[in-house]
Amino acid sequence: MQTNPASFLGIAAMMFVVGVSIPLMAALNGGLGRQIDSPYAATFLLFCFGLVLSFGLMMVNGGFPALAKFRGIPPYFYLGALVVVSYIASITWAGPRIGVGNAVFFVLLGQVVAAATVDHFGLLSAAQAAITPRRLLGIVVMALGVYLARKPV
């Protein structure tokens, strides 16, 4: 998959901002969960607000796709909802217990390993990119960085 350098930098910057927002979301939702004494209610509320916001984004960007587009989609593509709910619920629960930094660091480590695996095998229709010795070294260095950056519990 080829992307021109300007587009790549714009997308990379956007994803950096999203990455910055993840620990903020963990801290905010963890705080909400503590305030209402339920990380699961906080997760539910996050998704309620997210539903409204994503509906607005969808409407601004062309509305709901034609139903015909949903025919033939493998059911496993909808498992992303299970993944995001488990992530939000677990980070909301874990952040206040082990610290947002530790929780996010371990999520990051899992993401790096899973992303490399998905790319290597081209799983779930992802673009394929082999795990070369250089990429493997990068993963090991990132794992070491996560280990060094986490503070003792």
Side-chain angles (χ1 to χ4, degrees):
M1 174 174 22
Q2 294 288 331
T3 305
N4 73 50
S7 289
F8 181 85
L9 288 176
I11 294 168
M14 176 185 74
M15 295 314 298
F16 178 81
V17 170
V18 169
V20 167
S21 71
I22 288 173
L24 298 175
M25 181 277 307
L28 291 167
N29 223 48
L32 177 61
R34 278 192 314 272
Q35 290 291 311
I36 61 177
D37 219 12
S38 174
Y40 309 108
T43 299
F44 175 76
L45 291 170
L46 180 137
F47 279 102
C48 287
F49 287 112
L51 177 69
V52 171
L53 292 172
S54 60
F55 179 79
L57 283 171
M58 180 181 67
M59 297 314 288
V60 166
N61 289 287
F64 198 80
L67 292 178
K69 292 196 176 246
F70 292 92
R71 288 192 192 102
I73 294 176
Y76 60 83
F77 279 115
Y78 296 102
L79 291 175
L82 175 65
V83 172
V84 75
V85 167
S86 67
Y87 170 73
I88 299 298
S90 65
I91 200 83
T92 299
W93 181 84
R97 286 166 176 78
I98 66 170
V100 170
N102 281 331
V104 172
F105 288 146
F106 288 113
V107 167
L108 175 62
L109 182 57
Q111 285 178 310
V112 169
V113 170
T117 303
V118 167
D119 283 355
H120 181 75
F121 293 106
L123 301 174
L124 304 170
S125 304
Q128 197 164 3
I131 296 177
T132 62
R134 181 178 171 180
R135 284 187 83 194
L136 186 58
L137 176 63
I139 292 166
V140 169
V141 167
M142 286 184 76
L144 180 61
V146 167
Y147 173 76
L148 293 174
R150 73 171 191 85
K151 58 185 175 202
V153 179

